[in-house]
Amino acid sequence: AAAAAAAAAAQGEGLLLPAARATAREGGSRSRENIAMCETWEKGADCGWNQRTARILLLPFLVLLLAVSLYVLHRVRARNTGWTARPVLCLAAVSVSQFCDILEHGLVLSEMRDHGHEWYNNSTVDAIGDVFLMYSLYLFAEIWCDNVLLLAHTADLNSPLLTRDATTVRRIYRVIAVATIPMVVLFSLGSATHHYDTFMILYVLWGVFTGLMLLTPAAILMHRAITILPAEMTEKANYRQLLYMARVNLGEQILWNVLIINTVVSIVLFLHGGNKSAALIGSASVSISICWILMHLQVVLFFATVTKAQGSSPIFDASLLESLMNQSEGEGASAAARVHHHVQPERADKIELQAVTQGQQRAQTDRATASDERQLPDVVLNSV
């Protein structure tokens, strides 16, 4: 979400050095605190950071990542019956997000080549890609939680804590995926008006809030949920893969937090500090690029390692996951039926056995009493 701020900072757009834009259009140059201002299409707000070259160097890597995503999507698609399967939709959504970012870079580079002619400058395409990215992460969380709960059912583990953690993770990712849509719409509409800077700041704050306050707790809960499973589950391949992904997700989130904080600090120092060094803009741009790559790469590598490790897995095979979950629920229902139909008769038999035993004891007592009564006259006669 902070990509718009860094791009504006690097190009001298919006709230970042607005005078530099007009100066660049006139083809002149000026000195501001002994810093030469370059044309926006050639370099950024600071001549020391070449925004155009940075985008050109980053673009081939983004194209390569998209190619890998499409290849993994093809392999996962072959394991499922249709495009509506969640693993397929997850990889398709993350691929669309990558395509939007590539298109964003292409549009910005085209504008730079046009020597500062501003016909696209609001990062709308990149923001639309965020919608697909959040939807992909939501599907990823759903698949992960379903597989963890399946292992819990397999181990006959009834853990309210694990169920609560999985439910919370689902809700967090669902809220982010749904709330990102109106945020992108507001950002896109605001970017077409004279209030672009305000909507950009709000969108940046939304991205920082979701990462620090929502995605970080979700990553912690995912890691805790998988560790609740019993020790015998560690031998299963699905458990090892889910545990590996939980650890990768937690580590990625910690690194993402560090990078996004570095981005915000760099932009704030550039805006309000006395140091207008290109290192601040370069630091923000590099941090944002790494954050974006991490969020996409964790989804792609997760499915890539699973499909390579084993021939079939409920992690990427939606029909297999559904079949195993139905089987697990069926076994649970059968067990409940057995308890209802078999345990109760056993209790009845036990009660009946106790009644018979008590009856036998009463009969023995009665016979003993009758015998004593028959012997009583003889005892009296002998005594006389």
Side-chain angles (χ1 to χ4, degrees):
Q11 298 177 23
E13 297 292 341
L15 56 89
L16 304 179
L17 305 180
R21 184 168 45 184
T23 303
R25 287 176 184 162
E26 296 172 359
S29 61
R30 55 177 293 189
S31 175
R32 185 170 184 248
E33 299 179 3
N34 298 324
I35 296 178
M37 307 304 297
C38 303
E39 294 186 13
T40 56
W41 61 268
E42 182 182 3
K43 296 184 179 180
D46 193 306
C47 294
W49 175 255
N50 193 323
Q51 179 76 359
R52 182 171 181 270
T53 302
R55 289 181 180 272
I56 293 175
L57 293 177
L58 182 62
L59 197 56
F61 182 81
L62 300 180
V63 173
L64 178 61
L65 181 59
L66 176 59
V68 174
S69 301
L70 294 176
Y71 172 72
V72 177
L73 172 61
H74 171 71
R75 294 192 60 182
V76 173
R77 168 64 182 82
R79 303 285 184 175
N80 291 271
T81 57
W83 287 94
T84 57
R86 285 186 303 179
V88 178
L89 288 176
C90 180
L91 286 168
V94 79
S95 299
V96 172
S97 176
Q98 295 171 21
F99 175 78
C100 289
D101 193 69
I102 294 173
L103 182 60
E104 171 76 20
H105 282 275
L107 293 174
V108 174
L109 287 173
S110 299
E111 184 184 54
M112 290 178 177
R113 186 182 58 183
D114 203 14
H115 290 236
H117 178 66
E118 296 180 7
W119 57 273
Y120 176 79
N121 226 350
N122 52 21
S123 301
T124 301
V125 175
D126 200 18
I128 294 175
D130 291 342
V131 175
F132 289 95
L133 174 61
M134 293 300 105
Y135 179 65
S136 174
L137 292 177
Y138 162 67
L139 293 177
F140 163 75
E142 285 279 339
I143 295 171
W144 190 92
C145 291
D146 283 345
N147 279 271
V148 170
L149 293 177
L150 177 61
L151 290 178
H153 285 298
T154 303
D156 293 330
L157 176 65
N158 184 16
S159 174
L161 180 60
L162 188 150
T163 304
R164 185 169 60 251
D165 287 350
T167 302
T168 304
V169 169
R170 294 177 193 269
R171 291 175 178 175
I172 289 176
Y173 278 94
R174 185 183 299 117
V175 167
I176 296 176
V178 173
T180 300
I181 298 176
M183 294 299 299
V184 169
V185 172
L186 291 175
F187 175 74
S188 301
L189 294 177
S191 63
T193 65
H194 298 290
H195 303 286
Y196 170 70
D197 299 340
T198 302
F199 284 94
M200 180 187 68
I201 293 176
L202 292 177
Y203 193 64
V204 170
L205 293 177
W206 164 252
V208 174
F209 171 76
T210 55
L212 297 179
M213 306 304 297
L214 295 179
L215 291 178
T216 301
I220 295 175
L221 291 177
M222 290 175 66
H223 187 270
R224 185 175 72 173
I226 190 67
T227 56
I228 296 176
L229 293 175
E232 57 266 21
M233 290 290 102
T234 58
E235 301 299 327
K236 293 183 174 295
N238 287 352
Y239 174 88
R240 294 193 298 268
Q241 185 65 33
L242 294 171
L243 177 61
Y244 165 77
M245 197 57 230
R247 292 174 176 175
V248 170
N249 185 52
L250 181 59
E252 177 269 337
Q253 191 59 47
I254 294 175
L255 179 58
W256 191 93
N257 293 341
V258 173
L259 293 172
I260 206 65
I261 292 174
N262 176 72
T263 300
V264 174
V265 171
S266 299
I267 293 176
V268 170
L269 290 177
F270 185 87
L271 288 175
H272 302 288
N275 183 14
K276 302 299 180 183
S277 173
L280 295 175
I281 301 303
S283 176
S285 299
V286 172
S287 297
I288 291 172
S289 300
I290 296 177
C291 286
W292 183 91
I293 292 172
L294 286 175
M295 297 189 73
H296 290 77
L297 197 60
Q298 66 169 341
V299 177
V300 177
L301 290 182
F302 176 56
F303 287 103
T305 54
V306 173
T307 54
K308 183 178 180 180
Q310 52 195 51
S312 180
S313 170
I315 295 177
F316 63 84
D317 191 339
S319 59
L320 178 59
L321 174 61
E322 182 179 1
S323 175
L324 292 175
M325 293 183 68
N326 292 336
Q327 180 181 354
S328 177
E329 293 176 357
E331 291 176 354
S334 300
R338 288 193 298 270
V339 169
H340 179 74
H341 293 292
H342 296 287
V343 174
Q344 297 299 331
E346 290 176 0
R347 292 180 179 176
D349 294 341
K350 184 177 181 180
I351 293 174
E352 182 179 358
L353 178 61
Q354 291 177 352
V356 172
T357 303
Q358 293 175 357
Q360 292 175 352
Q361 292 176 351
R362 285 195 299 269
Q364 292 176 358
T365 303
D366 294 340
R367 286 195 297 270
T369 303
S371 176
D372 293 340
E373 292 176 350
R374 289 192 300 271
Q375 295 175 359
L376 180 59
D378 297 336
V379 173
V380 174
L381 180 60
N382 293 332
S383 297
V384 173

